[in-house]
Amino acid sequence: MEPKPLSFDQTKLSGISDKTLAIHHDKLYQGYVNKTNEIDQKLTELRKSGQYEGNATYSELRALKDAETFARNGVYLHEWYFDGLRPSVDSGQLSVDSQAPELSKALAEKWGTLENGLKYFSACAMAARGWSVLCWDTKAGTLMHYNGDAHNQGGVWGCLPIIVLDVYEHAYFIDFGSDRKAYIEAFWKNFNWTKTEELYLKAKQVKL
Ligand code: FE
């Protein structure tokens, strides 16, 4: 797999600096892409060699299978996160519900009001150790929210991420110190609601 470039000018976000994005996207995200490729290659080689043992206490196969979901989810979650950002000036000061009418309606239906839905998401992000994710549950046919304390922990299979927020300290410590709340406010300021509305409309068509 190839890394996805950022879809915006990384010097233009409000609050989240060029320096943070250079480390976060160019080093950390790129690192997950590299490791995903390395693990894929090692699994292929191991499979072809026939020299593998499926031992659940320790085996090379077990270690690779564990690392596989950590690395690949590390890539995918970061792509959802970065894809959800754009410079705050690009919103033209439009309200959330005018940029994302259907998603706003769905958030309000699920959590009472749009404001409550966003407040709940932000509070969950304060409570997470890695990821806060709003997703479309293809089995239940509704929006759901889940927290992840690691890339391969906390997710529910069958759910398609819609809003993904990275709350690992590397995402904000340079710019906000330990003030995660201020970082979450900056995330919303830089959030690309029009793109996310399109993603939501696509995702909600999937019912399994
Ligand atoms: Fe990250």
Side-chain angles (χ1 to χ4, degrees):
M1 68 163 56
E2 291 293 320
K4 235 177 132 173
L6 290 173
S7 58
F8 54 87
D9 180 344
Q10 71 184 49
T11 65
K12 296 280 193 304
L13 293 191
S14 127
I16 303 170
S17 65
D18 183 15
K19 190 176 176 190
T20 290
L21 286 163
I23 295 168
H24 202 176
H25 179 272
D26 304 346
K27 292 217 169 94
L28 301 178
Y29 162 67
Q30 174 76 53
Y32 290 124
V33 172
N34 294 345
K35 281 295 172 191
T36 299
N37 289 334
E38 188 184 328
I39 293 160
D40 279 354
Q41 196 188 336
K42 289 221 160 119
L43 277 169
T44 304
E45 284 163 11
L46 197 63
R47 209 170 52 240
K48 280 187 183 159
S49 76
Q51 303 298 307
Y52 50 80
E53 177 204 12
N55 187 301
T57 302
Y58 169 74
S59 57
E60 196 182 355
L61 183 60
R62 183 186 162 79
L64 283 165
K65 292 306 286 180
D66 186 39
E68 181 182 37
T69 54
F70 188 85
R72 192 170 280 270
N73 279 325
V75 172
Y76 291 171
L77 286 164
H78 278 99
E79 289 181 354
W80 267 299
Y81 168 68
F82 291 129
D83 279 348
L85 298 173
R86 56 104 183 82
S88 55
V89 288
D90 293 359
S91 69
Q93 309 297 315
L94 290 170
S95 64
V96 169
D97 54 350
S98 60
Q99 294 177 79
E102 289 305 315
L103 178 55
S104 296
K105 210 163 72 184
L107 283 162
E109 269 164 25
K110 183 82 188 178
W111 285 290
T113 62
L114 169 61
E115 290 68 30
N116 279 348
L118 298 181
K119 189 176 152 196
Y120 178 61
F121 182 98
S122 298
C124 291
M126 289 299 290
R129 294 177 188 157
W131 298 98
S132 176
V133 181
L134 175 85
C135 48
W136 174 255
D137 187 320
T138 61
K139 304 278 282 180
T142 181
L143 287 177
M144 296 295 280
H145 179 278
Y146 297 112
N147 271 357
D149 286 341
H151 309 331
N152 55 356
Q153 184 280 329
V156 171
W157 289 0
C159 289
L160 304 172
I162 308 286
I163 300 177
V164 174
L165 174 54
D166 188 338
V167 294
Y168 282 99
E169 285 170 352
H170 63 241
Y172 63 90
F173 222 78
I174 290 172
D175 304 322
F176 301 96
S178 61
D179 191 354
R180 189 191 287 185
K181 208 162 178 249
Y183 161 66
I184 294 170
E185 280 163 21
F187 170 76
W188 287 128
K189 234 182 251 172
N190 294 298
F191 194 67
N192 192 335
W193 283 105
T194 45
K195 200 176 187 181
T196 306
E197 170 85 347
E198 284 168 29
L199 181 60
Y200 168 66
L201 292 175
K202 251 192 254 175
K204 73 179 270 204
Q205 288 175 24
V206 185
K207 292 252 176 71
L208 298 174

